[in-house]
């Protein structure tokens, strides 16, 4: 049974930083493209960042480029999202997602491309 468990959410002031982590189990992690998505109240879920099978295959939404960094540790089966210079508009529930793939260098940014999802972790940014 595949499980994705996010952690690290919380309350932070605008301009601050937060690091989210997603622990994966029940899958061969090195064969999964990982993504981070977020959903704010009243809005649709949107792509934030993705990382391919290799550590250097990363992709970001324009809204977070230069502020967020996604990384993975295949030995620990974890994917992290380092968030800096946080803005009130970054406030949302953040979800980790996994997609099976065998092609190195490829990432994915559409919700439909991901099969497995975590329960989410709340990030609140105060202005």
């Amino acid at each position: 049974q595949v499980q994705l468990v996010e952690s690290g959410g919380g309350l932070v002031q605008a301009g601050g930083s937060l690091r989210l982590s997603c622990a994966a189990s029940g899958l061969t992690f090195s064969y999964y493209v990982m993504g981070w998505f977020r959903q704010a109240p009243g809005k649709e879920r949107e792509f934030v960042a993705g990382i391919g099978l290799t550590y250097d295959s990363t992709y970001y939404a324009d809204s977070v480029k230069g502020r967020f960094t996604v990384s993975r540790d295949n030995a620990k089966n974890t994917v992290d999202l380092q968030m800096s210079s946080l803005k009130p508009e970054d406030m949302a529930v953040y979800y980790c997602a996994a997609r099976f793939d065998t092609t190195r260098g490829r990432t994915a940014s559409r919700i439909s491309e991901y099969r497995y999802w975590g329960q989410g972790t709340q990030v609140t940014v105060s202005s």
Side-chain angles (χ1 to χ4, degrees), residues 19-72:
R19 188 178 185 90
L20 305 183
S21 187
C22 172
S25 60
L27 51 73
T28 304
F29 187 71
S30 59
Y31 283 114
Y32 280 78
V33 170
M34 301 301 294
W36 284 96
F37 291 76
R38 66 187 181 187
Q39 187 166 18
K43 295 188 176 182
E44 293 186 351
R45 192 170 298 189
E46 63 175 4
F47 172 78
V48 174
I51 185 165
L53 304 183
T54 54
Y55 304 98
D56 56 351
S57 299
T58 57
Y59 181 64
Y60 299 91
D62 288 342
S63 59
V64 306
K65 204 171 293 184
R67 300 187 298 121
F68 289 12
T69 302
V70 61
S71 61
R72 66 187 296 158

Side-chain angles (χ1 to χ4, degrees), residues 4 6 37 45 95-98 111 114-119:
L4 302 176
E6 302 95 337
F37 291 76
R45 192 170 298 189
Y95 298 91
C96 170
I111 293 172
Y114 289 86
R115 179 173 180 181
Y116 300 107
W117 293 82
Q119 293 300 307

